[in-house]
Amino acid sequence: MATSSVSFKSREDHRKQLELEEARKAGLAPAEVDEDGKEINPHIPQYMSSAPWYLNAERPSLKHQRKWKSDPNYTKAWYDRGAKIFQAEKYRKGACENCGAMTHDKKACMERPRKLGAKWTNMHIAPDEKIETFELDYDGKRDRWNGFDPSSFALVVERFETREEARRKYLKEQQIKKLEEKQGNENSEATVSDEEDDDLKIDEAKVDESKQMDFAKVEKRVRTTGGGSTGTVRNLRIREDTAKYLLNLDVNSSYYDPKTRSMREDPLPDADPNEKFYEGDNQYRVSGQALDFKQLNVHAWEAFEKGQDIHMQAAPSQAELLFKNYKIIKENLKYQNKETIMQKYGNAASEEVLPWELLLGQSEREVEYDRAGRIIKGQEVVLPRSKYEEDVYANNHTCVWGSWWKDHQWGYKCCKQFIRNSYCTGSAGIEAAEAAADLMKANIARKEATEEIPEQHEEKQLATWGTEVPKELVIDQKLLADSLKKEDQRKKEERDERKRKYNVKWNDQVTIEDMEAYRLKRVHHDDPMKDFLH
């Protein structure tokens, strides 16, 4: 407690002093008053409120915590802006040649330059300004609000309130207009109760918002300056809003924790997102500043794993600064890579848009021609040309390469040659090529006619196991399928003896189907596709 000095107290007095301090902290007793009549906060600890013994304080006070040794030379005053001290009637020597004031010269004059200054006209002499000099202390020199006039802010407040009042009035008029239109569009057979409800809605719309809703109003009851207060906020939410635990009454829906009042999952996952006003508490964790904070933590962990001395909890400001620098460097590298690629390959998207005259080959210019096609009036429109060379015929050709197509090959139409950059032979080359083609066809036909027909030998159909196949041999397809299954089972047992049964029965009789199945399943080591058969 703020006491003058440490003095001896009996046990009873000490107990009463402690009870008084507790009562003051609880707000049941009035706070202690210092020598200036100001209340002392009872929650200030004793080592701060008790004055040192050498100050000889007679009454409780907190002056020893303030800067009571102040320099009289320092002041908190400020310049008296716009103040005038004296106005002369005629020009004085050494005054401003423009306005006639003694406090500045012509170079520093802030008035409009006159056509003839006060030095020559000796008229309209400006008054002298009030010149002041202050010696400010350390804080005064660095006080950015020093000399600020609080009354000048009233204009800003007034402008804001006027704008808000106009906006509120406009919205109220729009709301009343919509309700009246809705009432006018209703069916004439509506019940009387519905009409009364609409009238009630219009009346509620006409009521001022400040009188209609007071859920944002805060009522606070303060007993003492020590902080013994109880603050109550009423109507934290509009009662028309549905609580989140009532959005979905299904037992198997999102879990609502009544202790923390949290519902992490979305209670209505199948509803339209545009109509939902609540999507679960997890929505806040993956959006807004929560996502930025998560990225900051991940960056701090990864940087620490790579050897940097960074800790999110120990030095959060350092971690945030490093993350900010990391994002800047990343954007710079991304921009450099983009510029490098654009310099190497170009950027077609950033090219200037061609004018419509070049794109469409037309303009608003009028050109008049005669019957022969000659221009009489105006200028002929120049058609847009490609960046490639056009109508350039090389090696005596009269057509360009690609003007002729035959047998999946491009060539020249003038000489029907397929070799590019070849010399054009004209119609003589076409005739020579046709004659050569006819001669080639005749030679091929003559060769086919004179060619001996080879003797056709009858192929013997060998048996599947290497012998000749008898004519009466017939293979049953069902028995062949069973033999193929037996052959697969036999190969599985060869690969893994554990699948072989304990009692093994052998049959030495080999049928035709068994031999066919063995041949089909046999591995041909010379076959290049053997790895894809089984």
Side-chain angles (χ1 to χ4, degrees):
M1 194 55 9
T3 56
S4 59
S5 60
V6 181
S7 60
F8 177 75
K9 294 180 181 179
S10 62
R11 181 177 297 178
E12 187 68 18
D13 295 340
H14 186 67
R15 184 181 60 80
K16 291 181 180 180
Q17 183 68 23
L18 292 178
E19 291 178 357
L20 181 60
E21 290 178 0
E22 293 296 333
R24 287 172 175 170
K25 290 180 180 179
L28 303 177
E32 193 174 7
V33 182
D34 60 0
E35 57 186 8
D36 296 333
K38 298 180 180 179
E39 294 181 350
I40 301 176
N41 193 334
H43 295 283
I44 296 178
Q46 186 177 4
Y47 74 91
M48 295 176 61
S49 60
S50 59
W53 59 270
Y54 51 83
L55 293 180
N56 297 325
E58 297 179 357
R59 296 188 59 183
S61 175
L62 294 176
K63 278 189 175 181
H64 60 279
Q65 293 290 347
R66 304 187 184 97
K67 186 179 180 182
W68 51 278
K69 286 186 178 181
S70 60
D71 194 344
N73 297 326
Y74 293 147
T75 179
K76 293 185 178 179
W78 198 245
Y79 301 101
D80 190 3
R81 298 183 179 180
K84 310 295 182 182
I85 54 175
F86 176 74
Q87 184 170 2
E89 297 180 355
K90 59 181 181 178
Y91 181 78
R92 296 160 292 178
K93 186 179 180 180
C96 177
E97 298 179 359
N98 185 41
C99 65
M102 290 290 295
T103 52
H104 61 270
D105 55 0
K106 182 179 179 181
K107 187 176 182 180
C109 185
M110 299 298 295
E111 285 194 7
R112 176 183 60 85
R114 304 180 184 180
K115 187 175 181 180
L116 293 176
K119 180 179 180 181
W120 291 275
T121 60
N122 207 15
M123 297 172 59
H124 305 292
I125 306 298
D128 299 341
E129 295 92 352
K130 184 179 179 181
I131 305 299
E132 296 177 294
T133 304
F134 301 108
E135 186 177 356
L136 302 175
D137 55 356
Y138 181 83
D139 295 331
K141 293 178 181 179
R142 291 157 180 81
D143 187 6
R144 59 192 300 266
W145 294 101
N146 199 356
F148 174 72
D149 186 10
S151 61
S152 62
F153 191 72
L155 181 61
V156 180
V157 176
E158 183 181 358
R159 189 186 300 114
F160 176 78
E161 290 178 352
T162 305
R163 189 187 301 112
E164 286 295 317
E165 185 66 26
R167 184 187 65 84
R168 194 180 298 109
K169 184 178 179 181
Y170 173 76
L171 293 178
K172 191 63 64 180
E173 291 176 356
Q174 294 295 328
Q175 185 179 3
I176 295 173
K177 185 178 179 181
K178 288 182 180 179
L179 289 174
E180 290 176 353
E181 291 178 356
K182 183 178 180 182
Q183 184 180 6
N185 295 332
E186 286 183 351
N187 192 2
S188 59
E189 297 179 358
T191 58
V192 179
S193 60
D194 295 338
E195 294 179 357
E196 292 178 355
D197 293 340
D198 293 337
D199 296 338
L200 182 60
K201 289 180 181 178
I202 296 176
D203 295 338
E204 288 181 357
K206 293 180 180 179
V207 177
D208 189 9
E209 292 181 358
S210 60
K211 298 179 181 179
Q212 185 178 359
M213 294 184 299
D214 58 347
F215 60 90
K217 184 178 179 181
V218 178
E219 291 185 353
K220 198 168 186 181
R221 178 170 55 88
V222 181
R223 298 188 210 174
T224 62
T225 58
S229 60
T230 56
T232 58
V233 180
R234 61 180 179 178
N235 295 335
L236 293 177
R237 63 176 176 85
I238 304 175
R239 298 303 174 181
E240 296 176 358
D241 294 342
T242 307
K244 52 187 173 183
Y245 53 83
L246 297 178
L247 294 175
N248 191 351
L249 300 180
D250 189 4
V251 181
N252 298 324
S253 63
S254 302
Y255 174 71
Y256 174 74
D257 188 6
K259 184 176 181 180
T260 59
R261 299 180 182 179
S262 61
M263 182 181 287
R264 293 177 175 83
E265 298 180 1
D266 189 1
L268 300 172
D270 299 331
D272 187 7
N274 299 325
E275 298 180 357
K276 290 191 296 185
F277 68 94
Y278 179 74
E279 299 180 358
D281 296 340
N282 287 339
Q283 181 67 21
Y284 305 126
R285 300 184 181 181
V286 295
S287 61
Q289 294 182 352
L291 185 60
D292 298 338
F293 184 73
K294 186 183 296 184
Q295 294 177 356
L296 178 59
N297 280 325
V298 172
H299 173 262
W301 297 337
E302 293 178 353
F304 181 78
E305 291 177 356
K306 293 180 180 179
Q308 293 190 10
D309 188 9
I310 180 174
H311 198 278
M312 185 60 196
Q313 283 71 31
S317 301
Q318 179 190 8
E320 186 173 1
L321 182 61
L322 291 176
F323 183 55
K324 183 178 180 181
N325 296 337
Y326 165 74
K327 292 193 293 185
I328 293 174
I329 296 173
K330 184 178 180 181
E331 289 296 330
N332 293 337
L333 290 177
K334 187 177 179 181
Y335 178 76
Q336 292 178 3
N337 293 336
K338 182 178 178 181
E339 289 294 329
T340 305
I341 294 174
M342 289 172 58
Q343 290 178 2
K344 185 174 182 180
Y345 299 102
N347 186 9
S350 64
E351 292 180 357
E352 296 181 359
V353 181
L354 295 177
W356 291 102
E357 292 81 1
L358 295 179
L359 292 176
L360 303 179
Q362 60 185 3
S363 65
E364 299 296 334
R365 291 177 297 180
E366 183 181 358
V367 181
E368 185 178 353
Y369 300 89
D370 58 0
R371 292 185 177 182
R374 292 184 294 269
I375 298 175
I376 301 175
K377 181 181 179 181
Q379 185 177 2
E380 186 177 2
V381 178
V382 181
L383 296 177
R385 300 177 64 87
S386 173
K387 66 179 181 179
Y388 302 101
E389 294 182 355
E390 297 182 0
D391 300 333
V392 177
Y393 306 109
N395 297 331
N396 202 26
H397 286 283
T398 58
C399 297
V400 296
W401 166 263
S403 58
W404 188 53
W405 168 265
K406 185 180 180 182
D407 297 337
H408 304 283
Q409 289 182 345
W410 293 103
Y412 295 98
K413 186 179 180 180
C414 55
C415 58
K416 295 185 180 181
Q417 294 192 49
F418 299 107
I419 302 174
R420 192 171 185 179
N421 296 330
S422 61
Y423 192 81
C424 182
T425 55
S427 58
I430 296 175
E431 295 176 357
E434 291 177 355
D438 295 339
L439 181 60
M440 179 66 70
K441 290 180 181 179
N443 292 335
I444 292 174
R446 185 173 63 256
K447 184 177 181 182
E448 290 178 354
T450 58
E451 190 176 6
E452 295 181 358
I453 300 175
E455 297 181 0
Q456 296 182 357
H457 299 283
E458 184 179 357
E459 295 182 357
K460 295 183 179 180
Q461 187 177 5
L462 300 178
T464 54
W465 54 88
T467 60
E468 295 184 0
V469 180
K471 294 182 179 180
E472 64 273 6
L473 179 62
V474 178
I475 298 177
D476 192 354
Q477 297 297 329
K478 293 184 178 180
L479 296 178
L480 179 60
D482 296 339
S483 299
L484 290 173
K485 291 181 181 179
K486 291 180 182 180
E487 185 66 19
D488 293 337
Q489 186 68 22
R490 185 183 66 82
K491 288 194 174 185
K492 287 182 181 179
E493 292 178 357
E494 288 181 357
R495 287 194 296 267
D496 190 0
E497 294 183 355
R498 292 176 297 178
K499 293 185 179 180
R500 184 180 297 177
K501 297 181 180 180
Y502 183 75
N503 297 322
V504 181
K505 296 181 180 180
W506 292 95
N507 189 4
D508 297 337
Q509 297 179 1
V510 180
T511 61
I512 300 173
E513 289 79 7
D514 294 340
M515 291 299 299
E516 183 69 15
Y518 171 75
R519 186 191 67 81
L520 293 175
K521 295 293 182 179
R522 184 180 58 182
V523 178
H524 300 274
H525 296 282
D526 297 336
D527 190 359
M529 300 293 291
K530 64 178 181 178
D531 296 333
F532 300 95
L533 293 177
H534 304 290

